[in-house]
Amino acid sequence: MNYNTWFQCSEGCGQTYPLTEVIYRCKNCGGLLEVQHDVEVLKQRSAADWKSLFERRYMRTQYPYGSGVWGKKELVCPIVDDTNIISMYEGGTNLFWAERFGEQLGLSDLWIKQCGNSHTGSFKDLGMTVLVSMVKQIIAESGNIRAVMCASTGDTSASLAAYASAAGIPAIILLPKAKVTREQLIQPIANGALTLSLETDFDGCMAIVQKLADRKDFYLANSINSIRIEGQKTISIEIVQQFDWEVPDWIIIPGGNLGNVSALGLGFLMLLELGIIDKLPRIACAQAERANPLYRSYQTGFTEFHAITAQSTQATAIQIGNPVSIHRAIRVLKRFDGIVDQATEEELADAAARADRTGLFNCPHTGVALAVLTKMVERKQVQRDDRVIVISTANGLKFPDFKVGYHNTVPGEPPPRYLNAPIELEADYEGVLKQIGAHLDA
Ligand SMILES: *Cc1c(COP(=O)(O)O)cnc(C)c1O
Ligand SMILES: [Zn+2]
């Protein structure tokens, strides 16, 4: 089959460019570029054949098709040669029934998609494997790329550094100083990336990296580069596959730069176009109240959008005031009858801690999504029997200070609702037994 894919201007001027060109915006009109596929060729395979192809490959060993992303290669990036693919078997993350947490909220069919159980601990791996593989292909075709680079709130940089070092390509990382966790900071350092901590916020790092991107020999890995979206699209395909090709009712996803919510929508739209599904879920995008430009736009029925200066939030990966994928995301939310809601610092921390009590270990961004879900249940926007999926975007182990801070009493302040502080006591049998008794009888 002659599968094909290319960049196309999203602003309607229709200009196309090859994926091997180092370009992020349309030369005609400055519009963002989107990856397009030759859908007519994809449609020549029946829905049943696509499903059985994906099933045969899923989580098996044949490289690279056992990867959750590359198992869907034809729908993701068919033009990259298998020999240039850099995969660490991303995707294939667990989707599990959160029975106890759902019960507490009043939901019988709540599921969590653990995208953080991945090579570098966040969903960013899904897109980065595609981007770095494309760069490897460009270099193989004698393109002059000396390094890949990104600005990051911590997870994009971890992912880029890992895949770039697996490919043997130098990586340049721009991070806002003291605004990423220690765990996120050490990842690119360990992988040998040039790691620059700048005295600014994410949006400040982004401004500099965009300037650097004028040089064609540094390849930009931020989500303004829509190649990553193609890999992240597989989140939706994988969810549907994990449910034996049934479409859920609702998906709740945290949003910052809004690439992931866009990817989620585009994945479902592609499945619909190929006849693999026959309806769409509804999507709720969850923002931190302190970094909520999309929520504010939603309040105007998406007629207005204003970039803001994001305030400091525990949900650091979504502390973004000027999201690059804003227009893509709004298009997706309109198509999916979507909603946007927000969570305060207290709400997101309580929601994460409450769900942790039922066996999870949530990152703060997942806490934002869980807090929004809680409000949706209270508003009766979701019904008891609705099948609801929460996208958990990162592994909680990357955010220990968030948890340590929560389970710590501050003198003079009321304790958090789900506090579970460690108790220090003498190494004495009677004393230990007394504490256990007091705990179990409480
Ligand atoms: C990147 C990231 C997000 C936000 O995704 P966007 O595509 O920027 O909206 C949410 N949570 C985590 C943990 C992330 O790393
Ligand atoms: Zn254009």
Side-chain angles (χ1 to χ4, degrees), residues 88 119-120 157-166 169-171 173 184-195:
M88 298 195 250
H119 187 68
T120 70
S157 45
S159 191
L160 179 63
Y163 283 87
S165 61
I169 301 168
I173 306 298
Q184 290 171 319
L185 177 61
I186 197 60
Q187 289 182 289
I189 291 173
N191 287 137
L194 175 65
T195 307

Side-chain angles (χ1 to χ4, degrees), residues 19-83:
L19 285 194
T20 45
E21 190 166 335
V22 182
I23 186 168
Y24 317 105
R25 285 187 179 276
C26 178
K27 285 180 197 164
N28 282 348
C29 69
L32 273 186
L33 301 178
E34 242 144 42
V35 176
Q36 294 289 337
H37 291 260
D38 189 341
V39 180
E40 289 315 310
V41 178
L42 292 171
K43 278 182 178 167
Q44 287 174 23
R45 197 190 285 257
S46 72
D49 283 353
W50 279 121
K51 291 187 218 172
S52 71
L53 178 69
F54 296 155
E55 297 288 7
R56 272 202 306 283
R57 292 171 173 170
Y58 191 60
M59 314 276 284
R60 310 298 301 216
T61 43
Q62 194 203 350
Y63 189 90
Y65 298 96
S67 150
V69 171
W70 296 107
K72 279 89 182 173
K73 183 183 175 188
E74 294 82 355
L75 275 49
V76 169
C77 193
I79 63 154
V80 68
D81 295 336
D82 285 0
T83 49

Side-chain angles (χ1 to χ4, degrees), residues 121-124 153-156 184 223 228 232 254-261 285 317-318 320 363 365-366 392-395 399:
S122 85
F123 74 82
K124 298 294 198 297
T153 52
D155 288 332
T156 299
Q184 290 171 319
S223 59
R228 277 173 52 200
Q232 290 174 208
N257 235 342
L258 307 178
N260 210 25
V261 64
C285 188
I318 55 175
I320 294 173
C363 77
H365 325 88
T366 306
S392 175
T393 46
N395 196 309
F399 301 88

Side-chain angles (χ1 to χ4, degrees), residues 418-431:
Y418 303 99
L419 175 75
N420 183 28
I423 296 163
E424 292 180 9
L425 69 171
E426 299 291 324
D428 163 58
Y429 173 81
E430 290 302 331

Side-chain angles (χ1 to χ4, degrees), residues 246-264:
E246 269 181 33
V247 178
D249 297 302
W250 274 102
I251 303 200
I252 325 288
I253 183 169
N257 235 342
L258 307 178
N260 210 25
V261 64
S262 306
L264 182 75

Side-chain angles (χ1 to χ4, degrees), residues 198-439:
L198 306 190
E199 298 276 3
T200 180
D201 59 5
F202 169 78
D203 294 303
C205 292
M206 196 63 215
I208 293 184
V209 90
Q210 292 213 8
K211 235 180 190 164
L212 289 170
D214 289 342
R215 303 179 43 126
K216 299 288 182 202
D217 52 348
F218 299 160
Y219 192 86
L220 180 62
N222 281 99
S223 59
I224 187 171
N225 187 333
S226 54
I227 285 178
R228 277 173 52 200
I229 303 256
E230 295 308 295
Q232 290 174 208
K233 256 177 18 185
T234 60
I235 289 187
S236 353
I237 308 173
E238 192 167 287
I239 287 172
V240 173
Q241 181 174 6
Q242 285 172 312
F243 278 120
D244 297 323
W245 308 101
E246 269 181 33
V247 178
D249 297 302
W250 274 102
I251 303 200
I252 325 288
I253 183 169
N257 235 342
L258 307 178
N260 210 25
V261 64
S262 306
L264 182 75
L266 292 173
F268 279 110
L269 290 174
M270 187 166 233
L271 292 176
L272 190 69
E273 219 175 347
L274 298 181
I276 296 172
I277 59 173
D278 56 12
K279 63 166 191 168
L280 296 175
R282 292 187 70 188
I283 294 179
C285 188
Q287 291 213 295
E289 187 184 40
R290 296 172 69 86
N292 63 353
L294 180 69
Y295 175 75
R296 292 177 192 217
S297 172
Y298 175 69
Q299 297 302 84
T300 72
F302 294 130
T303 54
E304 284 180 45
F305 169 75
H306 303 287
I308 61 168
T309 301
Q311 293 172 276
S312 140
T313 165
Q314 297 169 97
T316 47
I318 55 175
Q319 189 177 320
I320 294 173
N322 190 13
V324 68
S325 292
I326 180 72
H327 299 299
R328 278 201 263 256
I330 289 176
R331 273 202 303 276
V332 158
L333 286 166
K334 285 182 174 169
R335 182 77 171 79
F336 285 74
D337 195 10
I339 69 152
V340 184
D341 205 347
Q342 61 179 1
T344 65
E345 294 302 295
E346 188 182 357
E347 286 167 345
L348 74 89
D350 280 342
R354 183 181 182 191
D356 284 358
R357 290 274 186 110
T358 64
L360 283 141
F361 194 73
N362 292 294
C363 77
H365 325 88
T366 306
V368 171
L370 294 171
V372 162
L373 172 62
T374 308
K375 295 184 195 192
M376 290 171 68
V377 175
E378 282 164 6
R379 285 197 298 263
K380 302 207 180 342
Q381 208 158 21
V382 290
Q383 312 303 322
R384 181 173 176 79
D385 299 331
D386 283 350
R387 176 164 291 167
V388 180
I389 316 255
V390 171
I391 305 287
S392 175
T393 46
N395 196 309
L397 290 169
K398 290 182 104 172
F399 301 88
D401 289 350
F402 167 63
K403 305 226 168 269
V404 172
Y406 187 90
H407 292 290
N408 221 343
T409 43
V410 181
E413 278 184 29
R417 280 176 80 173
Y418 303 99
L419 175 75
N420 183 28
I423 296 163
E424 292 180 9
L425 69 171
E426 299 291 324
D428 163 58
Y429 173 81
E430 290 302 331
V432 168
L433 189 61
K434 204 170 141 221
Q435 277 292 343
I436 294 172
H439 176 74

